[in-house]
Amino acid sequence: MTERDKMLAGEVYDCGDAQLIERWHLAKRLQLKYNLTDSRDKETQKLILDELLGSYGESTWISAPFFVDYGENIHIGNHVEINMNCVFLDCNTITIGDFSGIGPGVHIYTVFHPTNPIERIDENSTFWKSQTAPVSIRRNVWIGGGSIILPGVVIGDGTTIGAGSVVTKSIPANCIAVGNPCRVIKK
């Protein structure tokens, strides 16, 4: 099993693995190119996204700047808008459903580390021990600006997450949820 396989399976993996580091550097080059591309140059943006992302649908709009770890683990549906300054740490799969919107400055994390400082350390690596869990944002979801979505979270169809929320647990469909930690306030 490769370190990438371990990463995607949610097992402890080595972030310093040569294959992972090579993809990470490629993603950084591609995101820099994307972020420096004129916002009117849709053809160049499309060519970059074709190489950077795992998949994306028609009428996808991603405002620069946009930041990722690997990019290839991000899958975006049709008619999705992602506003500027978003950070997607896609060490596992990030899936965003059709007709969803991601506000400015939203962070989506799929990676986490042990909370015990002794367990974080790998004396043979520059990097902390890491594990992952996928994030799934379903269809017609709105994530308000400045929100943070933590590993393993699923946000149900038709839900709105209020600006500045920290989503630590899955949120059901067709509700409004806000706060830190994020909780349902209206169904």
Side-chain angles (χ1 to χ4, degrees):
M1 183 178 262
T2 67
E3 294 304 310
R4 183 178 186 281
D5 292 338
K6 290 179 191 176
M7 178 180 79
L8 293 173
E11 297 178 12
V12 174
Y13 69 99
D14 178 8
C15 302
D17 173 71
Q19 178 190 17
L20 291 176
I21 290 291
E22 187 58 34
R23 177 60 200 194
W24 187 88
H25 285 299
L26 174 61
K28 296 303 169 256
R29 287 192 302 274
L30 291 168
Q31 79 183 16
L32 178 62
K33 253 175 97 173
Y34 187 86
N35 291 339
L36 294 175
T37 298
D38 187 298
S39 59
R40 295 166 294 197
D41 187 352
K42 297 302 173 199
E43 186 57 35
T44 299
Q45 286 181 331
K46 180 186 179 320
L47 291 171
I48 295 166
L49 291 178
D50 286 347
E51 194 174 353
L52 178 61
L53 300 180
S55 64
Y56 65 96
E58 64 181 62
S59 298
T60 295
W61 180 279
I62 301 174
S63 296
F66 175 64
F67 304 97
V68 302
D69 259 345
Y70 301 103
E72 65 185 351
N73 300 317
I74 300 169
H75 302 279
I76 301 170
N78 297 311
H79 308 286
V80 172
E81 179 185 350
I82 299 171
N83 212 319
M84 68 184 94
N85 286 320
C86 288
V87 176
F88 291 5
L89 300 186
D90 65 308
C91 301
N92 204 312
T93 305
I94 296 172
T95 306
I96 301 172
D98 297 344
F99 300 101
S100 289
I102 310 294
V106 169
H107 290 207
I108 301 174
Y109 305 146
T110 65
V111 64
F112 60 96
H113 311 283
T115 55
N116 181 333
I118 294 168
E119 293 175 10
R120 279 194 294 261
I121 299 169
D122 181 348
E123 294 180 9
N124 299 314
S125 177
T126 304
F127 303 100
W128 283 356
K129 291 179 184 175
S130 300
Q131 285 183 271
T132 68
V135 169
S136 179
I137 296 168
R138 302 282 166 83
R139 183 180 166 87
N140 197 18
V141 170
W142 175 243
I143 308 292
S147 294
I148 298 172
I149 314 297
L150 295 183
V153 165
V154 175
I155 299 174
D157 292 343
T159 286
T160 298
I161 303 295
S165 294
V166 178
V167 186
T168 60
K169 295 182 177 160
S170 293
I171 304 293
N174 301 311
C175 66
I176 298 171
V178 299
N180 179 7
C182 190
R183 62 184 178 16
V184 175
I185 60 166
K186 183 177 180 183
K187 293 188 179 202

